[in-house]
Amino acid sequence: MEIKNYSSSTSDFILLGLSSNPQLQKPLFAIFLIIYLVTLVGNVLIILAIHSDSRLHTPMYFFLSNLSCMDICFTTDIVPKMLVSFLSETKSISYVGCLIQMYFFMAFGNTDSYLLASMAIDRLVAICNPFHYDVVMNPQRCLLMLLGSCTISHVHSMLHVLLISRLSFCASHVIKHFFCDTQPVLKLSCSDTSSNQIVLMTESLAVIATPFLCVLFSYLRIIITVLRIPSAAGKWKTFSTCGSHLTVVVLFYGSIIYVYFRPLSMYSVVKDRVATLMYTVVTPMLNPFIYSLKNKDMKMGMRKLRFRIHS
């Protein structure tokens, strides 16, 4: 029996998507089109509000505007292809297209993670060391943190894509997912994937765990500082400045830890699709609502933006 190798650039993979039921394709298309448009509009409004209001030209909102930009790029890497697949019978993606999607998925996703860590550091300095805030979180340092986030993320993505490009894909070329994620693609390979697994559980652990531990350490320090405030009102007022960021952190890291920090043998198609949807589609859509509804400065910025648009 002839075994076909799908590692060449002329081959296609088949993305199974969220459901193989033909009757669900159009409803799913409508749902995810609405989610995508809401994500785009919400995050663009966040960026415009921050850039149009001089009161929001602070480190926290500098990182937030870049987080919104990354969320737009993150969802655009995945959702448009999903929408095409819902209305297409073939549901195919080229080998090169799959690697490109995987590269940008990891690059934008990891940049999101590092930006969340940068925002946690910002809150840590603002609450625990307020008198040195302007010195510590100066514009040059914020820019370096942003450039560092992007550089580490893109190097990490390049390493993974280069390792996967060396694999052979024999017989089956059906990816049981709605995009080219690492684990489902590795499942298809007939090559030895042990080196990929080692890198996934070591280098990836370092790249993803570093910002997560940074967030964890920052909030432990913040909690200790808040507990020292004598009045309950003071405690609530201080910690409430972290509410929006903490909500996004829990949604983002919770689903990522569930999906990626398990052995390949424990991979579950259905459960992982749901968890992956949380941080690839749902969280980027919710971010603008979380930050604008829970943040007085953002509410004011949105009102000013609305006034400028209508005037």
Side-chain angles (χ1 to χ4, degrees), residues 217-238:
F217 171 77
S218 296
Y219 274 104
L220 284 173
R221 286 285 308 276
I222 288 168
I223 289 167
I224 291 168
T225 302
V226 169
L227 290 175
R228 290 173 181 167
I229 298 172
S231 68
K235 288 176 183 177
W236 173 250
K237 184 180 178 180
T238 303

Side-chain angles (χ1 to χ4, degrees), residues 208-274:
I208 297 173
T210 298
F212 175 70
L213 290 173
C214 184
V215 170
L216 202 61
F217 171 77
S218 296
Y219 274 104
L220 284 173
R221 286 285 308 276
I222 288 168
I223 289 167
I224 291 168
T225 302
V226 169
L227 290 175
R228 290 173 181 167
I229 298 172
S231 68
K235 288 176 183 177
W236 173 250
K237 184 180 178 180
T238 303
F239 197 73
S240 64
T241 61
C242 306
S244 301
H245 178 256
L246 195 56
T247 304
V248 173
V249 163
V250 171
L251 287 172
F252 185 81
Y253 282 112
S255 50
I256 282 181
I257 290 168
Y258 176 80
V259 172
Y260 292 104
F261 293 104
R262 293 175 300 153
L264 193 61
S265 57
M266 292 178 65
Y267 175 75
S268 166
V269 176
V270 177
K271 289 180 181 178
D272 284 27
R273 278 182 195 166
V274 173

Side-chain angles (χ1 to χ4, degrees), residues 72-99:
I72 290 169
C73 296
F74 194 34
T75 51
T76 300
D77 181 50
I78 296 169
V79 178
K81 180 60 185 173
M82 280 178 66
L83 296 174
V84 172
S85 295
F86 286 136
L87 302 181
S88 171
E89 292 184 5
T90 58
K91 303 184 186 300
S92 64
I93 184 170
S94 68
Y95 176 77
V96 173
C98 186
L99 291 182

Side-chain angles (χ1 to χ4, degrees), residues 15-245:
L15 292 167
L16 281 188
L18 293 174
S19 173
S20 57
N21 188 338
Q23 295 180 338
L24 291 177
Q25 301 307 302
K26 287 184 179 178
L28 285 172
F29 173 84
I31 291 167
F32 282 94
L33 177 61
I34 292 168
I35 289 173
Y36 182 55
L37 292 175
V38 169
T39 302
L40 291 182
V41 172
N43 282 289
V44 166
L45 287 175
I46 289 281
I47 294 167
L48 291 175
I50 290 170
H51 284 271
S52 63
D53 189 347
S54 59
R55 293 187 312 107
L56 299 179
H57 293 175
T58 64
M60 181 66 177
Y61 295 107
F62 168 77
F63 291 124
L64 177 57
S65 65
N66 282 284
L67 181 70
S68 291
C69 183
M70 286 301 115
D71 281 344
I72 290 169
C73 296
F74 194 34
T75 51
T76 300
D77 181 50
I78 296 169
V79 178
K81 180 60 185 173
M82 280 178 66
L83 296 174
V84 172
S85 295
F86 286 136
L87 302 181
S88 171
E89 292 184 5
T90 58
K91 303 184 186 300
S92 64
I93 184 170
S94 68
Y95 176 77
V96 173
C98 186
L99 291 182
I100 291 171
Q101 187 185 57
M102 188 183 296
Y103 173 86
F104 284 110
F105 160 72
M106 286 189 283
F108 294 138
N110 280 307
T111 305
D112 257 12
S113 179
Y114 277 90
L115 286 173
L116 288 171
S118 299
M119 292 166 79
I121 292 170
D122 174 84
R123 292 298 84 205
L124 170 67
V125 177
I127 292 171
C128 301
N129 199 6
F131 297 113
H132 295 92
Y133 179 78
D134 291 334
V135 176
V136 176
M137 300 302 294
N138 60 66
Q140 292 80 11
R141 187 161 291 160
C142 291
L143 184 60
L144 281 174
M145 289 168 76
L146 173 63
L147 292 174
S149 301
C150 294
T151 303
I152 292 169
S153 301
H154 281 273
V155 170
H156 165 78
S157 299
M158 183 61 72
L159 173 63
H160 274 279
V161 169
L162 287 174
L163 282 172
I164 288 174
S165 67
R166 295 170 62 245
L167 300 176
S168 295
F169 298 91
C170 311
S172 175
H173 58 296
V174 177
I175 299 173
K176 296 178 180 179
H177 216 319
F178 56 88
F179 73 104
C180 290
D181 198 4
T182 312
Q183 296 280 32
V185 172
L186 286 178
K187 276 276 191 180
L188 299 181
S189 178
C190 55
S191 304
D192 180 14
T193 61
S194 57
S195 59
N196 296 76
Q197 288 297 313
I198 291 168
V199 170
L200 196 65
M201 297 303 290
T202 54
E203 187 268 348
S204 292
L205 184 65
V207 169
I208 297 173
T210 298
F212 175 70
L213 290 173
C214 184
V215 170
L216 202 61
F217 171 77
S218 296
Y219 274 104
L220 284 173
R221 286 285 308 276
I222 288 168
I223 289 167
I224 291 168
T225 302
V226 169
L227 290 175
R228 290 173 181 167
I229 298 172
S231 68
K235 288 176 183 177
W236 173 250
K237 184 180 178 180
T238 303
F239 197 73
S240 64
T241 61
C242 306
S244 301
H245 178 256

